[in-house]
Amino acid sequence: MILRAEHLSHRYETEYVIEDVSLYLKQEEIVSLLGVSGVGKTTLFHVLSGLVNPTEGHIWLKEEEITGQAGHISYMLQKDMLLPYFTILDNIAMPKKLKGASKKEARAEAEGLLEEFGLKGCGSQYPAQLSGGMRQRAALLRTYLFAKEVALLDEPFSALDAITKSEMHSWYRKVMERIRLSTIFITHDIDEAILLSDRIYIMAGKPGRIRAELSVNAPKTRTSDYALTGEFLEYKKKILELLKHPC
């Protein structure tokens, strides 16, 4: 177990947004957080990443308590947030520079990972010159360089068209296995959650709580054809029922 959160609650003034949320993440696991808009998923990510100190509860990275401490966990927002006047290489290298590495060191480490992330030959280009999928790859590599153990991804593929999204799903699982990054990602897309996840947390209610946990016992490598199987449809039916009638 690499990340553990217990009994997290957070309120703004007198209103709780999340309440009594407990979850965990294993090494090299992909976990999705699934729920309707407004249920507190992004607030939970703010708390897990250390951007917000929870009103109640505790968070551990391995055996170290990191509650309210930023800098231990990577956090990638829904938009790629690449700086338009920086090259792709300088965008990617930014986290290392912010942590004190020289420009030369930061660029060298970023450049060494471009091919791994499918960005070979793109380092000298600018964000406007890349497709949406390539920009997301660059944003994910930048996130990885910030902290290489755990990443929180907030709807990383939601802005992509259906074909590009399908390609990114296949690429994402393969690269996660190679770089051994443990991830939790927010999604509203049930199909995406089933295709990518080892486990799925269902979040519901106001304030938001974890209402159910579902393990996806499917092959690690899943193609888009998996969405046509009876097993996939059974998982989807179960998730729809849990969303409709959260326990």
Side-chain angles (χ1 to χ4, degrees), residues 15-39:
E15 183 177 358
Y16 276 91
V17 180
I18 58 172
E19 187 171 48
D20 198 25
V21 171
S22 296
L23 54 79
Y24 67 93
L25 177 67
K26 295 179 181 177
Q27 188 81 43
E28 299 178 42
E29 191 177 34
I30 300 175
V31 170
S32 63
L33 189 62
L34 185 63
V36 300
S37 297
V39 79

Side-chain angles (χ1 to χ4, degrees), residues 117-167:
F117 279 73
L119 293 165
K120 185 178 180 180
C122 296
S124 61
Q125 293 182 287
Y126 290 86
Q129 296 175 278
L130 299 188
S131 67
M134 297 294 275
R135 288 167 63 107
Q136 287 302 91
R137 291 182 188 219
L140 185 59
L141 175 49
R142 181 184 58 192
T143 302
Y144 173 64
L145 284 178
F146 180 80
K148 295 182 178 180
E149 292 186 304
V150 176
L152 308 177
L153 311 180
D154 192 345
E155 297 193 75
F157 311 122
S158 63
L160 304 177
D161 62 81
I163 294 174
T164 304
K165 183 185 285 192
S166 179
E167 293 171 351

Side-chain angles (χ1 to χ4, degrees), residues 101-117:
S102 69
K103 182 177 181 178
K104 183 178 179 180
E105 290 170 336
R107 285 170 62 94
E109 185 169 356
E111 193 165 24
L113 288 163
L114 288 178
E115 185 171 4
E116 183 79 67
F117 279 73

Side-chain angles (χ1 to χ4, degrees), residues 33 53 87 126 177 213 227:
L33 189 62
N53 198 27
T87 64
Y126 290 86
E177 288 178 26
E213 177 189 342

Side-chain angles (χ1 to χ4, degrees), residues 189-236:
D189 187 333
I190 296 173
D191 289 15
E192 179 174 78
I194 300 169
L195 285 170
L196 294 181
S197 307
D198 299 303
R199 287 185 299 115
I200 300 170
Y201 284 114
I202 306 294
M203 198 167 177
K206 288 193 175 182
R209 296 186 179 191
I210 300 295
R211 301 295 182 173
E213 177 189 342
L214 178 68
S215 294
V216 182
N217 300 311
K220 278 281 188 183
T221 303
R222 299 166 211 166
T223 65
S224 56
D225 290 343
Y226 180 69
L228 304 176
T229 65
E231 183 179 276
F232 178 92
L233 293 176
E234 285 300 314
Y235 280 125
K236 189 167 185 176

